[in-house]
Amino acid sequence: MGGISNAQMYVRTGGEDFFHKGRAGKGRKEGEGSKSIQDFIGKEEDTDDKMDIIRKRKEEIIDKVRRGETEPSIPIGAGSYTMKQWNKMMRGLDKAIDDMQERIRKDAERAEKKRKDPVTADILEQLLGVDVEKEKSVAKGDLYYQITGKERFAQDNSLYRIADSGGGAFLITDKTTGCVYEFTENGCRLQTDKSTGRTFLIPCDDFGMSGSIMAADDTLKTMLAQYFGADRLEEGELTGYTFRRNEATGIEIMIPKGMEGKMAHILFQSKADVEAYEQLVQTYKTKYPNLVQSDEMAAFYASIEIEGLCHRTATGILYTNAQGVSYADENDPEKNWALLFDEQSEENYRMIMDMMEEIIKSGKDVRERQEWERRIGEKGKNIQV
């Protein structure tokens, strides 16, 4: 049984509960048939009768032991606990005390850490809703300025200007190209391409799908560090992008993984890049006045041509993307057509670009729908009707 033996409990309780037919610790009802040994003391039964009664009581006790009904009970207030229940409760209490002491220890460690540095990574992560270390954001300590009331240090020299634009964002002016870039302070990071050693400032969303991407030289990286009040900014490895140059303008683009034929980031890295882009914008405005009727639309066409999504012809614009190919005629809308697949994919885009190259090499007209239909049919591709 452990703890207290039945004999010990008998001595402590005067033996009454020990020999009672009910479970240990339960009171007897008046008129029950079982009696204690004390009920027979002083009576006139002979020795054999008394021994017979004791023998029967022993048999009852043995029977209770077999049934597990003899475990002693410890009274606590209005209730009572068997030794098994008591030990289980004590073990649970010990564990609760150990857990509480561990929480106290951890709380003390956190309090000490906060005392030394009131703006912790944990605080930033909770407020930003991101994993600060994983994102390697250049604005790793951006909320520090808001919490402490300190001001950032605006940067300005002959190459760049960096200034707070409000709302948790900052502007970078590239004075060489005249381009102005806006980044969210807690939503951008520096990443370096191992193959070329070039570093880029990239939005923190999935592969920089939105916002600008900007090449960051050593001067700009130093200015960014000073803007955020750091000796230097952390840099991660650039992954998930491919580079390509537009043949007509020489402008370089960065294509996020899985997005070929859907979108790309244009990199304006010199004054010559900007001039080539502006010239392409004017070409669209001049050559296709019916299709391109505003400066914004001309800039859009120039951008998607650099990204490899449209191509100029003598009489219209050919579109190629991850879902198919189409043509828009400058003078005759009846000549417009589109061949679209059921889904978008990089494979579709590469197949379309290969077909266009084959059509041009064979001397065929890329504006002819029938030529495209024949080639797509030979590939076994389904086209939306």
Side-chain angles (χ1 to χ4, degrees), residues 37-100:
I37 293 178
Q38 291 178 353
D39 293 332
F40 297 93
I41 295 177
K43 292 193 177 181
E44 296 300 329
E45 286 85 348
D46 58 23
T47 302
D48 290 339
D49 291 336
K50 291 178 180 177
M51 294 303 297
D52 185 56
I53 291 172
I54 293 174
R55 179 182 56 78
K56 290 180 179 179
R57 281 296 185 224
K58 288 181 177 180
E59 290 176 355
E60 288 181 12
I61 293 170
I62 293 172
D63 186 53
K64 285 186 177 184
V65 171
R66 290 195 184 106
R67 296 198 303 267
E69 298 178 354
T70 60
E71 189 174 355
S73 175
I74 300 173
I76 301 293
S80 63
Y81 297 85
T82 66
M83 287 307 299
K84 184 176 182 180
Q85 292 170 332
W86 178 263
N87 290 335
K88 181 178 180 181
M89 184 180 71
M90 289 298 101
R91 287 194 297 270
L93 183 59
D94 289 341
K95 185 178 186 303
I97 292 173
D98 291 341
D99 291 345
M100 182 174 62

Side-chain angles (χ1 to χ4, degrees), residues 217-262:
D217 57 18
D218 290 339
T219 299
L220 181 57
K221 287 191 287 186
T222 299
M223 293 175 70
L224 283 169
Q226 292 172 347
Y227 176 78
F228 286 105
D231 294 332
R232 62 182 298 276
L233 297 178
E234 293 184 23
E235 297 180 27
E237 180 183 353
L238 180 68
T239 59
Y241 291 92
T242 57
F243 294 90
R244 187 175 300 165
R245 285 193 181 275
N246 174 256
E247 292 183 2
T249 61
I251 297 174
E252 190 175 24
I253 61 173
M254 289 176 66
I255 306 171
K257 182 180 180 181
M259 297 303 293
E260 188 174 17
K262 300 176 185 178

Side-chain angles (χ1 to χ4, degrees), residues 140-295:
K140 184 176 177 180
D142 65 332
L143 290 181
Y144 177 83
Y145 296 90
Q146 298 177 31
I147 295 171
T148 62
K150 293 183 179 180
E151 295 183 359
R152 287 183 175 79
F153 308 98
Q155 301 294 307
D156 197 356
N157 59 25
S158 60
L159 298 177
Y160 304 102
R161 182 176 186 274
I162 306 176
D164 187 349
S165 65
F170 65 99
L171 295 176
I172 301 177
T173 302
D174 184 341
K175 295 183 179 181
T176 300
T177 64
C179 296
V180 179
Y181 303 85
E182 184 174 35
F183 292 92
T184 303
E185 293 176 344
N186 60 15
C188 58
R189 58 197 169 197
L190 287 171
Q191 292 191 335
T192 301
D193 179 29
K194 279 190 173 182
S195 61
T196 63
R198 294 186 299 170
T199 302
F200 300 90
L201 186 58
I202 298 176
C204 275
D205 61 350
D206 293 340
F207 297 117
M209 297 290 288
S210 62
S212 304
I213 289 182
M214 181 181 186
D217 57 18
D218 290 339
T219 299
L220 181 57
K221 287 191 287 186
T222 299
M223 293 175 70
L224 283 169
Q226 292 172 347
Y227 176 78
F228 286 105
D231 294 332
R232 62 182 298 276
L233 297 178
E234 293 184 23
E235 297 180 27
E237 180 183 353
L238 180 68
T239 59
Y241 291 92
T242 57
F243 294 90
R244 187 175 300 165
R245 285 193 181 275
N246 174 256
E247 292 183 2
T249 61
I251 297 174
E252 190 175 24
I253 61 173
M254 289 176 66
I255 306 171
K257 182 180 180 181
M259 297 303 293
E260 188 174 17
K262 300 176 185 178
M263 63 87 66
H265 294 279
I266 300 175
L267 298 175
F268 294 108
Q269 302 174 85
S270 66
K271 189 173 182 180
D273 287 344
V274 176
E275 291 174 347
Y277 176 79
E278 292 176 346
Q279 184 176 348
L280 186 58
V281 170
Q282 291 301 317
T283 298
Y284 272 98
K285 289 177 62 177
T286 303
K287 191 171 184 177
Y288 309 108
N290 293 325
L291 293 175
V292 183
Q293 299 179 359
S294 68
D295 292 342

